[in-house]
Amino acid sequence: MAIYDSWNLEYKSKFGALRRDEACRFSIKIPKNIPLDFSPVMVVFRTGFKERFLNMTKIGEDGDYSIYSVIFSAKYSGVHYYYFSYTTNGVRFYIKKKDCHLGNLNDGDLFQLTVFSKHYEPVEFLKGGIMYQIFPDRFCKSGKAHENIPSGRVLRDDWGGTPYYKPDENGHVWNNDYFGGDLEGIRSKLEYLSDLGVTCIYLNPIFESHENHRYNTANYMKIDPMLGDEEDFKRLCSDAQKYGISVILDGVFSHTGADSVYFNKFGRYDSVGAYNSKESPYFDWYTFYNYPNEYEAWWGIDTLPNVVETNDNYTKYICGENGVLDHWIQLGAAGYRLDVADELPDAFLENLNKCVKKHGNDKIVIGEVWEDASNKESYGVKRRYLLGHQLDSVMNYPFKQAIIDYINGGEPYNFINSIMTILENYPKPMADVLMNFVSTHDIERAINTFGGEYCGDKSKDWMAERYLTQQQYDKGKNMLKAAMSLMYFVVGVPSIYYGDEAGMQGYKDPFNRRCYPWGNEDTELIAFVKELGQIRKSSSAFADGTMEFIYNDSNIIGFARHSEEEDMLIFVNRSDKSCNVEPFFKLIKKYSISEALHGEITDLGLTVNSYDFAAIRCIK
């Protein structure tokens, strides 16, 4: 019998993170044959604060064990840590964490308890939805003529060609080739996205910039001319709403472009940039070491000068009345995904959150965080992302890694622990709208990860024209289907990186950013993704239901999503052969099956085809 189990409601009466002032009962079980000198204690503390010692009271017995309990409610938001202690014959023993959630005598880690604002609520429009990420230059080209295209751009007419990647004689890659995808092109594909079940489009940067990725912002208040103009953006947002689709923008607020109205290093603009004069209204946005040529730059890249986010003028420009955030929300944006959120100071994030939320709680702020965002530290500071005043959601890299590792043959035990640890550490309002994915613009496409060769030690020359063989493609596609099945049905919101559903390939940047293959899609894969979307949207259990793992063997993982209305049982087969869940009828004794939406129930149990899933609806 466990001494303590933080995932079991017998030991911790509420799973996961708690709201401030929310009471929770913590219980431990100690063998009766251990003579206690006095009652055990629960020890709780926050980093930088003293420990609190909470006396536990015996409340009952369970066989050969005595149950000791205490009710705790936190008065302050923040990440708390706790453990238990008891003394016998003058010797003190500790109960600490082992195997992610189990109590262990003396040796182990501290248990984590995230305490968040009592007023923190989820962003409702994203719950139960499906996100679709678009790299604007590469999704769809409308053919509409665009005016005032800045100089220095290479306009390509070979849609689907290999993006430029070779450096110039000075070793710089200019990323100045454009295939011409635009906002009108995206608008023309809204029906396609709606058929996929998409409810939210996440656009990589659309503001004027002079590289095709547009992460080197030149003007936060202007759409890049190759993408269109404000009217195109307003029309996209308005028409998307008719399909029940919201649009969120990429906010790049830790740095600007050197080639921008703010810095103006190359004299492109009539404005007086920080590089041009110390009298520039933008001068105090930046940190110069030896004016003007030595300055703080993002990761040392001199085309990306860092901004001082805590500068009052900069904060006002972005977060102030009628500033950047207001401007685009008023034109139709539903919120922002924040690039490199761990490089944005807490004060700036809180100002940004206030500005976005004044437009309504359904405007969202999503942060790019690659680690567990609940206990993340950056630049020596314990971050406050999840406490209710900064982020509504984060890019869920821990889930991405867990899914990739599991489908690639990792231990089911590790997959379960990875998923449950995040769900335990994150506030449920955030967990329900986590951005789940297996591919993005920053990593190789999942189909290559599964079917192709390892690219971590390969050159860009190797990646550039490297395509999967048919055998590799078939393997990668099948494994991608199993991975997407998990991505769609675990807690959070699935995010499709444009073209993954169509079988697009690509190793690392920029080859993961090729053009969508209109007319050459993998229609079988698209049909599979559509079905995932239809099943997801058919049940409230996938919007905000809790999650419980109920089965695993060497090939199949099974979990339940519980809502007040119904339960959904999901089984995913990661193997290349059809498998039968033989103890299926024993597993479902407590459920009342309504229908099998996918998968086959026979007299022998549940059959799940290779690299496929089963979805079973159960009524309450």
Side-chain angles (χ1 to χ4, degrees):
M1 183 176 294
I3 303 172
Y4 178 71
D5 182 350
S6 66
W7 296 354
N8 188 327
L9 300 185
E10 286 187 32
Y11 296 86
K12 181 170 176 280
S13 63
K14 296 181 183 295
F15 174 77
L18 300 177
R19 293 183 184 274
R20 185 168 61 85
D21 294 331
E22 180 179 16
C24 180
R25 180 179 291 277
F26 294 80
S27 302
I28 58 175
K29 297 182 179 180
I30 298 178
K32 294 178 182 178
N33 60 8
I34 296 179
L36 300 183
D37 294 350
F38 40 81
S39 294
V41 294
M42 177 181 177
V43 186
V44 188
F45 68 95
R46 290 183 293 152
T47 302
F49 294 86
K50 290 182 178 181
E51 294 177 321
R52 293 182 60 191
F53 297 86
L54 308 175
N55 291 322
M56 306 184 77
T57 303
K58 183 176 178 179
I59 62 167
E61 297 180 348
D62 184 1
D64 294 329
Y65 291 80
S66 297
I67 305 171
Y68 293 86
S69 179
V70 66
I71 294 176
F72 171 69
S73 59
K75 292 181 172 58
Y76 301 98
S77 299
V79 175
H80 294 61
Y81 297 96
Y82 68 96
Y83 61 95
F84 305 93
S85 175
Y86 66 87
T87 302
T88 177
N89 296 323
V91 179
R92 177 167 294 190
F93 293 86
Y94 303 96
I95 299 172
K96 295 186 176 181
K97 182 174 69 173
K98 183 181 180 182
D99 297 332
C100 292
H101 61 110
L102 295 175
N104 184 54
L105 275 182
N106 291 332
D107 182 32
D109 300 317
L110 300 174
F111 289 95
Q112 178 178 317
L113 178 65
T114 305
V115 179
F116 59 100
S117 167
K118 62 173 66 177
H119 305 296
Y120 189 0
E121 297 298 336
V123 177
E124 293 293 335
F125 85 83
L126 201 55
K127 285 172 56 175
I130 297 169
M131 188 180 290
Y132 193 88
Q133 179 188 351
I134 293 177
F135 194 81
D137 185 58
R138 311 288 162 80
F139 180 62
C140 183
K141 181 177 181 178
S142 70
K144 177 181 177 179
H146 298 299
E147 300 178 349
N148 302 316
I149 303 302
S151 61
R153 302 190 181 196
V154 178
L155 309 183
R156 299 182 58 168
D157 58 7
D158 58 335
W159 186 264
T162 298
Y164 291 172
Y165 68 95
K166 291 185 179 293
D168 63 15
E169 62 275 9
N170 297 314
H172 185 80
V173 179
W174 288 101
N175 299 305
N176 64 341
D177 60 323
Y178 294 77
F179 288 90
D182 57 7
L183 298 180
E184 276 292 291
I186 297 170
R187 191 172 74 88
S188 73
K189 297 300 182 181
L190 287 173
E191 184 174 356
Y192 167 74
L193 297 177
S194 179
D195 288 345
L196 283 179
V198 171
T199 61
C200 179
I201 296 170
Y202 153 45
L203 295 176
N204 285 115
I206 64 171
F207 304 140
E208 180 169 291
S209 306
H210 302 297
E211 295 189 40
N212 51 43
H213 53 73
R214 299 189 173 96
Y215 280 94
N216 55 336
T217 311
N219 190 339
Y220 288 109
M221 288 295 199
K222 185 180 178 183
I223 301 286
D224 191 276
M226 288 201 65
L227 293 177
D229 55 28
E230 282 191 6
E231 290 304 313
D232 292 327
F233 179 71
K234 287 166 63 177
R235 192 159 44 245
L236 170 62
C237 293
S238 175
D239 285 5
Q241 280 295 337
K242 296 174 185 176
Y243 287 94
I245 299 174
S246 300
V247 178
I248 64 173
L249 300 179
D250 215 327
V252 187
F253 301 128
S254 73
H255 54 271
T256 68
D259 194 359
S260 67
V261 297
Y262 316 108
F263 203 76
N264 205 17
K265 183 174 183 177
F266 306 111
R268 181 189 297 271
Y269 295 94
D270 293 336
S271 63
V272 179
Y275 185 87
N276 311 130
S277 171
K278 293 183 180 181
E279 301 304 314
S280 167
Y282 311 114
F283 176 76
D284 58 358
W285 287 16
Y286 302 94
T287 300
F288 288 92
Y289 302 127
N290 185 16
Y291 187 80
N293 288 314
E294 294 180 18
Y295 48 86
E296 184 178 302
W298 188 78
W299 288 84
I301 302 170
D302 64 4
T303 56
L304 301 173
N306 269 349
V307 297
V308 181
E309 298 93 342
T310 53
N311 175 269
D312 289 343
N313 290 330
Y314 180 73
T315 299
K316 183 177 180 181
Y317 184 82
I318 302 296
C319 308
E321 194 71 25
N322 296 317
V324 171
L325 301 174
D326 280 356
H327 183 74
W328 298 106
I329 289 177
Q330 289 163 358
L331 291 176
Y336 296 88
R337 173 266 188 189
L338 302 181
D339 187 52
V340 292
D342 58 348
E343 299 185 24
L344 299 173
D346 285 321
F348 181 82
L349 286 174
E350 285 159 13
N351 279 317
L352 185 148
N353 181 281
K354 287 178 184 177
C355 179
V356 170
K357 294 302 180 183
K358 76 183 182 185
H359 296 277
N361 190 57
D362 250 20
K363 297 296 183 281
I364 197 166
V365 182
I366 302 173
E368 179 193 12
V369 181
W370 287 56
E371 303 83 9
D372 182 332
S374 71
N375 50 41
K376 164 83 176 183
E377 291 189 13
S378 59
Y379 304 99
V381 176
K382 177 82 76 174
R383 302 313 302 263
R384 304 197 296 264
Y385 299 135
L386 312 192
L387 306 184
H389 306 292
Q390 293 188 359
L391 304 179
D392 298 301
S393 174
V394 291
M395 298 182 72
N396 199 354
Y397 276 94
F399 273 22
K400 169 259 174 188
Q401 196 59 50
I403 291 172
I404 296 287
D405 289 348
Y406 173 71
I407 297 299
N408 267 328
E411 290 291 334
Y413 169 85
N414 292 332
F415 175 73
I416 293 170
N417 283 350
S418 296
I419 300 297
M420 293 299 293
T421 295
I422 292 298
L423 297 185
E424 181 176 26
N425 289 350
Y426 285 29
K428 190 174 186 302
M430 172 175 278
D432 289 338
V433 293
L434 282 171
M435 181 179 169
N436 296 337
F437 55 86
V438 290
S439 305
T440 74
H441 64 290
D442 282 327
I443 55 178
E444 60 267 31
R445 288 187 179 267
I447 197 168
N448 289 74
T449 300
F450 291 132
E453 301 169 64
Y454 175 70
C455 69
D457 58 354
K458 303 297 194 299
S459 69
K460 289 201 172 184
D461 282 334
W462 182 90
M463 298 180 206
E465 302 296 339
R466 184 77 48 169
Y467 293 91
L468 303 178
T469 66
Q470 188 61 51
Q471 183 179 8
Q472 288 176 322
Y473 179 83
D474 291 342
K475 175 187 176 185
K477 170 183 170 179
N478 286 331
M479 295 174 76
L480 175 62
K481 289 165 68 176
M484 293 186 82
S485 300
L486 290 172
M487 182 180 84
Y488 264 70
F489 299 131
V490 297
V491 174
V493 176
S495 177
I496 307 167
Y497 183 43
Y498 79 102
D500 265 10
E501 81 282 9
M504 278 185 67
Q505 303 179 33
Y507 285 102
K508 293 185 176 181
D509 163 24
F511 314 112
N512 56 355
R513 304 173 181 180
R514 295 180 187 271
C515 299
Y516 187 101
W518 298 109
N520 295 293
E521 306 95 324
D522 186 324
T523 55
E524 190 274 335
L525 187 54
I526 289 175
F528 180 84
V529 174
K530 284 183 179 180
E531 185 179 10
L532 288 175
Q534 290 164 358
I535 293 174
R536 175 176 172 80
K537 295 176 79 173
S538 75
S539 175
S540 61
F542 299 122
D544 54 11
T546 59
M547 182 171 172
E548 174 192 10
F549 284 93
I550 59 175
Y551 180 77
N552 71 83
D553 62 19
S554 58
N555 295 321
I556 292 180
I557 199 88
F559 55 89
R561 296 295 307 276
H562 305 296
S563 70
E564 292 182 3
E565 295 81 18
E566 63 183 13
D567 300 312
M568 293 293 297
L569 308 183
I570 302 295
F571 297 84
V572 176
N573 182 358
R574 68 175 178 181
S575 76
D576 60 359
K577 59 186 177 183
S578 179
C579 295
N580 195 55
V581 182
E582 293 184 3
F584 176 69
F585 295 111
K586 182 179 179 181
L587 287 172
I588 63 169
K589 279 185 176 180
K590 66 177 182 179
Y591 299 103
S592 178
I593 293 179
S594 171
E595 58 180 328
L597 301 176
H598 195 91
E600 183 182 6
I601 300 174
T602 68
D603 292 340
L604 297 176
L606 175 69
T607 299
V608 188
N609 291 330
S610 63
Y611 300 114
D612 204 355
F613 71 97
I616 298 155
R617 190 190 309 277
C618 302
I619 58 175
K620 293 263 179 143

